[in-house]
Amino acid sequence: MKPTIIGRSSSHFTRVTRIFAAELGVEHGFEVVRDLAALEPAAYGGNPALRVPALETADGTWFGALNVCRELNRRAARGVRVVWPEALAQATAANAQELTLQAMANEVTLITASMGGVSEASPFRAKVHEGLVNTLAWLERNLDGALAALPSEPRASYLEVTLYCLLTHLEFRGIAPTAPYPRLTAFCGEYGTRPSVERTPYRFDAPAP
Ligand SMILES: N[C@@H](CCC(=O)N[C@@H](CS)C(=O)NCC(=O)O)C(=O)O
């Protein structure tokens, strides 16, 4: 049985796993979760948190992007050097990773809040949005320092993949413009030329019939 990524083509956490699979050369299937309103874990590969992505394998199912990427790496035949979050032993790089993941979570909160009819003027949405925008400004100032702390290429780093998926998703979903951040925009331009990225564009999957 080929491992199968369960997720959505429009999801940034799912895209992280699809990019990793391509970077590591792991053959896999892709199963789309068509109804995010579903309340049964079975609709999400068994994830009781009702979230994507998951990775279904003959040995078990892995919940969450980082878990999925680690399992893909264990299955990889290609010897790619992977830089995991815990390997970031320098403050700027470690903080860039933390802030990138938090910003991805903020984005999920904002999308869910808007789908749930929470007003844009609500203090709840304002704080989540402000935290996101502050984070983008921090990343703009600190990206070069963070990247300098990574081992030299070739590499697949969780930091770069998550950051790329965050920044492009902000534009895709219209959550916050990235044009005001030239360094982040340049990073996306450079990283976006990788075949793993070109093969996994964001798009909205067809809804359940
Ligand atoms: N900690 C999880 C977060 C996953 C997550 O928030 N996924 C979003 C999609 S990008 C989701 O399932 N959203 C559906 C919803 O909230 O209804 C991970 O790292 O994979």
Side-chain angles (χ1 to χ4, degrees):
M1 174 195 173
K2 258 197 309 199
T4 300
I5 294 174
I6 298 168
R8 286 170 70 86
S9 312
S10 57
S11 143
H12 49 5
F13 282 108
T14 301
R15 193 175 186 191
V16 169
T17 64
R18 298 177 77 196
I19 290 177
F20 255 87
E23 289 283 333
L24 299 172
V26 179
E27 231 192 296
H28 62 283
F30 182 50
E31 189 182 308
V32 173
V33 173
R34 300 223 173 252
D35 180 12
L36 279 189
L39 295 178
E40 311 80 41
Y44 305 82
N47 186 344
L50 313 181
R51 297 268 167 171
V52 292
L55 181 75
E56 202 169 70
T57 76
D59 306 322
T61 300
W62 306 85
F63 304 144
L66 185 54
N67 259 349
V68 170
C69 291
R70 289 189 204 279
E71 178 59 12
L72 290 169
N73 188 45
R74 284 188 284 268
R75 289 167 180 265
R78 218 183 265 172
V80 175
R81 177 182 4 201
V82 180
V83 187
W84 298 113
E86 65 271 21
L88 304 176
Q90 185 254 16
T92 306
N95 289 339
Q97 180 70 85
E98 161 63 20
L99 291 171
T100 296
L101 293 174
Q102 183 56 56
M104 290 172 80
N106 281 29
E107 222 198 325
V108 173
T109 304
L110 288 170
I111 292 168
T112 315
S114 108
M115 278 164 36
V118 180
S119 147
E120 231 172 280
S122 80
F124 166 69
R125 268 181 74 166
K127 185 176 178 193
V128 176
H129 188 266
E130 190 66 12
L132 177 59
V133 171
N134 287 349
T135 292
L136 292 175
W138 187 97
L139 289 167
E140 172 73 11
R141 289 193 304 275
N142 290 284
L143 179 63
D144 288 326
L147 295 182
L150 298 181
S152 56
E153 291 267 18
R155 64 180 179 234
S157 78
Y158 202 70
L159 173 59
E160 288 165 294
V161 177
T162 50
L163 182 60
Y164 179 82
C165 290
L166 165 70
L167 295 171
T168 48
H169 198 255
L170 290 169
E171 290 287 342
F172 172 67
R173 294 303 305 253
I175 299 293
T178 53
Y181 311 101
R183 185 60 196 97
L184 298 181
T185 302
F187 165 77
C188 285
E190 289 151 27
Y191 209 78
T193 61
R194 292 170 95 103
S196 60
V197 167
E198 287 172 346
R199 292 218 298 264
T200 56
Y202 286 126
R203 64 180 182 81
F204 290 108
D205 299 305

